[in-house]
């Protein structure tokens, strides 16, 4: 008897068990070594001290439900970016927004498009909604607008674009994003996932705010997990047209952002000095890692985020898997990315000075072995 025919217990709806579960970056290393976790693109400087203090203050009032509309958080975000709070939805991480968009706008049989090396959660949310995931090929590990548009059919309902992309760190200039939007039918939703936007220092980049403001079929998602160092608080947000905000507010949980997260998010959003320190740290060490890894003969995909994708030699004993084992034994935890189509690469978060120097030193010895 197949699982589908087994009536002795509840069964998930068709397609759910075909989904490959998301596997987060590992965090464990052998006992006795100092662990440097560089697998999840977390902020090496940690969260704003103001955010930590805000959480402590809320800890004495945890018996009360939070504001179900996250009003103060939406207002802080709106103040920082010059937006209307009514066009902001807050969430339990930006993953929740992505999932809600999938379940709200994709019906069984509909198609959702994402790029070849795009965030794995896009595929999951499309399949969870009963949709068909469609992959658009990339060029030089970068999203290709023409390939995305060529993948659009009468069944397409959503296009997910990570800009910058994870795990490659590549991005599309804003004129290319505009061209993508202009080529989509008006009923197709373009979701711009700008989780790493604050790190980008390119004159031709824009996170998507302008496009959302002037369109009816674009949503920009953002997160507090990266630049703000609040991955453990799980805070995300979306900027969207009013009709999309209305739909999302009907399906999200009534208290989907907890009180500690709201307080931390408000404080973090207003601490611009901490954000600037993080950006400066990342600019310095991203450039340093690119230079030092290149000296070792390793190819690094050009990144505008807070991580680098490091490619290892084909053949021989210096594969990504061997490098991962070697680094893990010494406490350096990087991210295997075979699930993203890179079986011989590792993704490394830009870490502290100690972690960055340590990884380069370890890889130097590894490549000599």
């Amino acid at each position: 008897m197949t699982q589908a025919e087994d009536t002795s217990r509840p069964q998930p709806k068709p397609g759910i068990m075909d989904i490959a579960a998301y596997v987060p970056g590992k965090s464990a290393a052998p006992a006795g070594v100092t662990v440097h976790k560089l697998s999840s693109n977390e902020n090496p400087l940690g969260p704003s001290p103001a955010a930590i203090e805000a959480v402590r203050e809320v800890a004495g009032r945890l018996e009360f439900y939070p504001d179900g509309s996250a009003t103060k958080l939406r207002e802080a975000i709106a103040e920082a970016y010059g937006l209307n709070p009514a066009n902001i939805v807050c969430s339990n991480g930006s993953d929740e927004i992505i999932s809600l968009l999938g379940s709200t706008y994709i019906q069984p049989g509909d198609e959702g498009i994402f790029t070849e090396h795009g965030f794995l959660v896009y595929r999951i949310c499309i399949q969870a909604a009963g949709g068909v995931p469609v992959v658009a090929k990339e060029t030089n590990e970068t999203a290709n607008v023409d390939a995305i548009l060529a993948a659009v059919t009468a069944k397409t309902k959503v296009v997910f674009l990570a800009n910058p992309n994870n795990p490659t760190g590549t991005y599309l200039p804003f004129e290319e994003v505009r061209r993508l939007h202009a080529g989509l039918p008006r009923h197709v939703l373009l979701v711009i996932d700008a989780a790493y936007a604050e790190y980008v220092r390119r004159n031709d980049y824009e996170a998507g705010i302008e496009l959302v403001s002037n369109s009816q079929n674009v949503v920009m998602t953002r997160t507090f997990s990266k630049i703000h160092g609040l991955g453990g608080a799980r805070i995300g947000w979306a900027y969207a047209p009013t009709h999309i905000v209305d739909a999302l507010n009907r399906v999200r949980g009534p208290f989907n952002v907890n009180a500690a997260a709201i307080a931390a998010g408000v404080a973090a959003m207003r601490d611009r000095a901490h954000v600037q320190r993080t950006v400066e740290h990342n600019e310095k060490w991203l450039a340093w890692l690119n230079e030092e890894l290149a000296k070792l003969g390793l190819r690094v995909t050009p990144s505008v985020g807070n991580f680098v994708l490091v490619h290892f030699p084909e053949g021989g004993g210096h594969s990504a898997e061997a490098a991962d084992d070697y680094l893990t034994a010494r406490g350096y935890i990087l991210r295997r990315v075979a699930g993203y189509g890179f079986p011989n690469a590792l993704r490394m978060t830009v870490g502290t000075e100690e972690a960055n120097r340590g990884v380069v030193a370890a890889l130097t010895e590894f490549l000599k072995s």
Side-chain angles (χ1 to χ4, degrees):
M1 177 183 294
T2 67
Q3 184 178 7
E5 296 169 336
D6 185 357
T7 58
S8 65
R9 61 184 184 183
Q11 296 297 314
K13 64 183 182 181
I16 293 298
M17 299 312 294
D18 296 328
I19 297 173
Y22 182 82
V23 179
K26 64 182 179 180
S27 57
V33 298
T34 301
V35 175
H36 295 279
K37 184 170 179 276
L38 304 169
S39 58
S40 299
N41 300 341
E42 295 150 336
N43 187 335
L45 304 186
S48 160
I52 295 172
E53 186 56 36
V55 171
R56 289 197 180 105
E57 199 275 330
V58 168
R61 305 193 309 274
L62 293 181
E63 70 273 27
F64 299 113
Y65 280 97
D67 170 18
S69 298
T71 304
K72 291 182 178 179
L73 181 56
R74 291 188 296 109
E75 289 175 347
I77 294 168
E79 177 186 328
Y81 292 100
L83 307 177
N84 184 344
N87 292 103
I88 296 171
V89 179
C90 293
S91 59
N92 184 23
S94 58
D95 293 352
E96 183 189 25
I97 291 285
I98 291 167
S99 296
L100 288 173
L101 289 169
S103 62
T104 303
Y105 290 96
I106 296 175
Q107 299 186 67
D110 288 341
E111 294 175 351
I113 298 173
F114 56 96
T115 66
E116 182 180 5
H117 303 298
F119 190 28
L120 294 175
V121 167
Y122 307 148
R123 177 185 289 274
I124 292 172
C125 88
I126 294 166
Q127 289 181 285
V132 178
V134 176
V135 180
K137 295 291 286 185
E138 297 182 5
T139 301
N140 298 325
E141 294 154 8
T142 304
N144 182 309
V145 170
D146 293 315
I148 295 171
L149 292 176
V152 174
T153 72
K155 295 182 178 180
T156 304
K157 292 298 173 64
V158 180
V159 172
F160 292 100
L161 175 69
N163 199 35
N165 186 54
N166 168 29
T168 60
T170 56
Y171 77 104
L172 280 184
F174 191 55
E175 285 307 312
E176 280 294 276
V177 179
R178 283 180 179 275
R179 188 165 73 86
L180 170 62
H181 175 250
L184 293 175
R186 292 184 179 181
H187 70 275
V188 173
L189 178 65
L190 174 61
V191 180
I192 303 173
D193 181 354
Y196 299 93
E198 295 91 346
Y199 288 104
V200 185
R201 291 297 176 264
R202 297 291 191 278
N203 291 333
D204 59 354
Y205 175 80
E206 206 277 322
I209 288 174
E210 180 184 338
L211 199 57
V212 174
S213 298
N214 296 305
S215 308
Q216 289 298 306
N217 63 333
V218 184
V219 174
M220 177 193 69
T221 66
R222 302 286 280 269
T223 182
F224 282 76
S225 297
K226 307 306 178 185
I227 197 79
H228 296 292
L230 290 172
R234 308 308 302 129
I235 317 170
W237 60 282
Y239 177 54
T242 302
H243 67 96
I244 294 177
V245 169
D246 181 40
L248 291 176
N249 280 331
R250 292 169 186 266
V251 296
R252 67 172 176 82
F255 303 103
N256 62 326
V257 185
N258 68 71
I262 291 172
V266 170
M269 186 56 67
R270 290 176 175 161
D271 190 349
R272 306 312 297 171
H274 184 73
V275 170
Q276 186 58 34
R277 283 192 296 271
T278 300
V279 169
E280 290 171 357
H281 176 91
N282 192 70
E283 282 192 293
K284 174 182 177 178
W285 291 103
L286 178 65
W288 185 87
L289 282 169
N290 275 288
E291 183 178 343
E292 295 300 316
L293 292 168
K295 288 178 184 177
L296 297 179
L298 298 172
R299 182 173 75 86
V300 179
T301 301
S303 172
V304 295
N306 68 332
F307 55 90
V308 290
L309 184 65
V310 187
H311 303 265
F312 288 82
E314 298 291 341
H318 295 134
S319 66
E321 181 178 6
D324 188 38
D325 291 342
Y326 189 92
L327 291 168
T328 298
R330 288 152 182 79
Y332 300 105
I333 312 301
L334 276 62
R335 181 75 149 97
R336 295 293 308 277
V337 284
Y340 285 94
F342 296 110
N344 202 29
L346 298 176
R347 190 193 68 196
M348 175 187 172
T349 307
V350 176
T352 62
E353 177 176 357
E354 179 185 2
N356 297 333
R357 292 188 183 278
V359 169
V360 170
L363 285 175
T364 300
E365 294 302 315
F366 166 72
L367 293 168
K368 291 178 180 177
S369 62

